[in-house]
Amino acid sequence: MTHLPGIVVTGASGRMGRMLIRTIVESDRAQLVGCVERPGHDWIGQDVGLAMGGAALDVTATDDPLEAFARAQAVIDFTAPEATLEFATLAAQARLVHVIGTTGMSETQIEALAPAARHAVIVRAGNMSLGVNLLTQLTRKVAAALDREFDIEIIEAHHRHKVDAPSGTALMLGEAAAEGRGVNLADVADRGRDGITGARKEGHIGFSAIRGGDIVGEHDVLFAARGERIVLRHVATDRGVFARGALTAALWGQDKAPGQYDMIDVLGL
Ligand code: NAD
């Protein structure tokens, strides 16, 4: 078993962290070699299998990422922007593949990943599922095929705990639509309308976010014109799709040159 690529999960106790632990443990392509949580978390020092209420997994949660990274070939990171930046520096030092699922990173934070990507492979995507990455490609194509008479709106829905809006996936779809139209998303994005906003501007791309209950993730890309509408929709019902995508990315990155990649590269779409 020791020849299988060793994976560290950061944010191990989170919604995605737990799903990643299960996915890696059940996989015959990789092994779980470390779990990182933030200092002071009650999982620190505990076996992560027991902490999840199941059988022991022989992996103890630590708040020392360097110690965990030293044993691994890849780190899968679904945490928070500041934490992800810290992990990127450490993963580059250890020459690990860094799979970043964390969303809500600012442009400045994304730019700050560049030095790490000179030394190690980074795969970052706002959504790791095959279906959404396919939807991204379809969105680009449909946006390129339709003229500006079609208003583009992106509607997303997520669970009540999500802290960022619009979702990373919605922004990814917005980028794809803007690329298809040959425009810059930053110049045409309408995020969060409220009050007397005036009529919709032609060529703009609008975003709406719904938050509630335990919704895993739903995205509609709406192309609306006079007399007709096209809706491209993806519905995730199980976080396992993101975890399996992230594991695929970690394995894919093993023999790649340092640099920044996304799931379109991994899936060869
Ligand atoms: P969550 O709040 O349940 O989990 C985040 C975990 O990270 C927590 O356990 C927290 O303690 C831990 N953490 C925070 N700072 C840390 C640090 N410095 N060191 C170690 N651990 C730290 O959130 P979640 O629902 O699991 O989502 C996590 C992130 O992943 C969010 O940004 C979310 O939007 C994103 N996400 C991405 C995808 C994708 O496919 N790319 C899918 C789902 C969620």
Side-chain angles (χ1 to χ4, degrees), residues 11 51 89 105 126 135 187 217 221 224 244 260-261:
T89 305
M105 295 181 80
L135 182 68
D187 298 336
V221 185
R244 289 191 291 277
Q260 294 201 53
Y261 302 89

Side-chain angles (χ1 to χ4, degrees), residues 82-106:
E82 305 74 38
T84 289
L85 282 184
E86 183 197 332
F87 296 141
T89 305
L90 301 177
Q93 280 169 18
R95 302 292 190 265
L96 302 188
V97 174
H98 187 189
V99 178
I100 302 176
T102 306
T103 63
M105 295 181 80
S106 67

Side-chain angles (χ1 to χ4, degrees), residues 11 13-16 37-38 78 83 87 101 103 125-128 162:
S13 81
R15 277 174 289 270
M16 279 304 303
E37 254 302 340
R38 56 186 161 69
F78 286 65
F87 296 141
T103 63
N127 192 304
M128 300 270 172
K162 185 162 180 62

Side-chain angles (χ1 to χ4, degrees), residues 49-263:
L50 297 177
M52 288 199 296
L57 291 175
D58 231 8
V59 174
T60 304
T62 176
D63 57 5
D64 180 358
L66 255 190
E67 176 252 328
F69 288 10
R71 297 190 289 272
Q73 277 71 52
V75 51
I76 303 183
D77 175 16
F78 286 65
T79 54
E82 305 74 38
T84 289
L85 282 184
E86 183 197 332
F87 296 141
T89 305
L90 301 177
Q93 280 169 18
R95 302 292 190 265
L96 302 188
V97 174
H98 187 189
V99 178
I100 302 176
T102 306
T103 63
M105 295 181 80
S106 67
E107 280 307 314
T108 316
Q109 286 170 324
I110 291 168
E111 281 164 20
L113 294 172
R118 281 200 280 277
H119 302 288
V121 171
I122 293 180
V123 182
R124 188 176 65 84
N127 192 304
M128 300 270 172
S129 84
L130 169 65
V132 156
N133 285 281
L134 199 57
L135 182 68
T136 306
Q137 302 295 67
L138 293 173
T139 298
R140 187 177 293 113
K141 281 205 171 124
V142 175
L146 297 174
D147 61 30
R148 281 160 57 107
E149 204 207 319
F150 280 83
D151 297 327
I152 304 179
E153 292 283 313
I154 296 168
I155 304 118
E156 54 105 338
H158 281 88
H159 54 87
R160 62 161 72 111
H161 302 288
K162 185 162 180 62
V163 296
D164 52 318
S167 70
T169 305
L171 291 171
M172 215 165 93
L173 293 166
E175 290 285 356
E179 270 171 43
R181 280 221 161 136
V183 296
N184 229 333
L185 181 61
D187 298 336
V188 296
D190 283 339
R191 293 168 59 155
R193 301 185 186 104
D194 185 26
I196 311 295
T197 57
R200 192 185 195 288
K201 291 197 188 71
E202 194 188 84
H204 274 216
I205 297 176
F207 291 87
S208 313
I210 293 161
R211 293 290 174 267
D214 60 356
I215 302 170
V216 172
E218 304 185 2
H219 294 85
D220 277 11
V221 185
L222 169 69
F223 297 86
R226 275 169 42 141
E228 60 181 336
R229 291 199 292 273
I230 299 168
V231 186
L232 302 179
R233 170 171 298 166
H234 180 267
V235 177
T237 52
D238 175 4
R239 284 187 180 81
V241 295
F242 310 130
R244 289 191 291 277
L247 177 57
T248 300
L251 299 174
W252 175 90
Q254 292 303 311
D255 59 358
K256 299 296 177 296
Q260 294 201 53
Y261 302 89
D262 60 22
M263 284 305 282

